[in-house]
Every structure is written in C-alpha cells, then in structure tokens.
Amino acid sequence: MRSWLTAQKTCEGFPLFLRRPADFDIDSLRPLYPALVVVTHEFAKLGPNGLPEGDYNEGLLEMDREVVAAFDGDRIGVPALIETFGGKRHYYFYVSSEAGVPAAISAIAVRYPSERLSWEIRPDPEWRFIESYSREHF
C-alpha cells in the first residue's frame, strides 16, 4: 500500500487539499514515464467552499482508489499528485506510452455513471509540471 504526504492550504480564499506519494523518486521514474495524464473529476455534490459534501465524499472512496490504481502498475505509470479544489479533484499521473488511458478511464466512468470524469494527456518528459508544483506546494 502506497504512503502519501498531504497538505492543506488556502488558495484564492478556498481550501486546497493535496496528496502525493511519499516515496516519489523523480530521477529514477522520469525516463520510464514521459507523458503527464490529468484525470479530472467534477463533483456532483459540493459545498459553498468547493469541497465535496461529507457523505458524498465518503461515497467516492472506492472510485478514488480505482482512479489511483489505474496507472499505478508495473511499467504503466505512477500517481504524482491528487489535488482537490474548486469543485473538482485532479489526479496527475506520469505514464508510459502503453498506458491505455482512454480505456482505463472509460472503464471507471462506466462503473460510476453519476460522476463526471474527463482526462487529458500531454508530453512532459522532463516532468516540469510536477517539479514546479512540488516546489510551490510541498
């Protein structure tokens, strides 16, 4: 089971929750995973602070585990960051070219039809996004 570092901040007057793997060695992982995948989950039920409502959030635990596990496998990819802010949860992964992102996320979306999931893939072989984000928030 993966160990996570967490942080809670305020951004633009709203709460920002962050999680990242504690055992994250960018230098050894960078050559294996040249693409950044961002999976976005738009909350169906949220409070005025942009966070998911309590009971609703508890009900998302299994889906959260599935999304994290989707690209946390041998030679597929690694989760890099999970950010909850402004009515959304963003999952950031670095993946190999064989990761099968559309199929993996589509399969999860079918199991959770009342949740809105989207994704994007972009090259980031130098891992600039996560290095910059980590310097700013961790």
Side-chain angles (χ1 to χ4, degrees):
M1 182 145 198
R2 186 173 293 280
S3 175
W4 296 86
L5 299 176
T6 61
Q8 179 179 349
K9 299 181 165 210
T10 301
C11 183
E12 301 171 6
F14 294 98
L16 167 66
F17 289 91
L18 303 167
R19 289 183 273 165
R20 75 171 174 95
D23 58 347
F24 203 60
D25 181 8
I26 290 176
D27 292 331
S28 68
L29 296 170
R30 185 184 345 235
L32 302 172
Y33 308 117
L36 175 65
V37 171
V38 182
V39 177
T40 300
H41 172 216
E42 292 184 51
F43 299 131
K45 299 177 182 178
L46 59 129
N49 63 358
L51 295 178
E53 293 178 353
D55 290 341
Y56 169 71
N57 192 43
E58 290 294 317
L60 297 174
L61 289 175
E62 187 58 36
M63 187 185 82
D64 183 84
R65 282 191 279 272
E66 286 186 44
V67 173
V68 171
F71 305 108
D72 189 12
D74 188 35
R75 313 295 285 170
I76 293 172
V78 293
L81 175 70
I82 301 169
E83 169 193 73
T84 303
F85 177 76
K88 298 176 184 173
R89 183 165 290 143
H90 298 283
Y91 299 83
Y92 299 90
F93 303 91
Y94 280 91
V95 300
S96 71
S97 56
E98 294 83 33
V101 174
I105 299 304
S106 293
I108 294 170
V110 165
R111 286 191 293 282
Y112 300 93
S114 62
E115 302 303 328
R116 291 193 307 185
L117 294 174
S118 60
W119 67 89
E120 66 175 281
I121 306 167
R122 60 182 179 247
D124 187 9
E126 299 301 318
W127 288 38
R128 285 190 171 99
F129 168 78
I130 198 62
E131 285 186 331
S132 172
Y133 203 108
S134 293
R135 276 192 302 274
E136 185 177 338
H137 294 288
F138 286 95

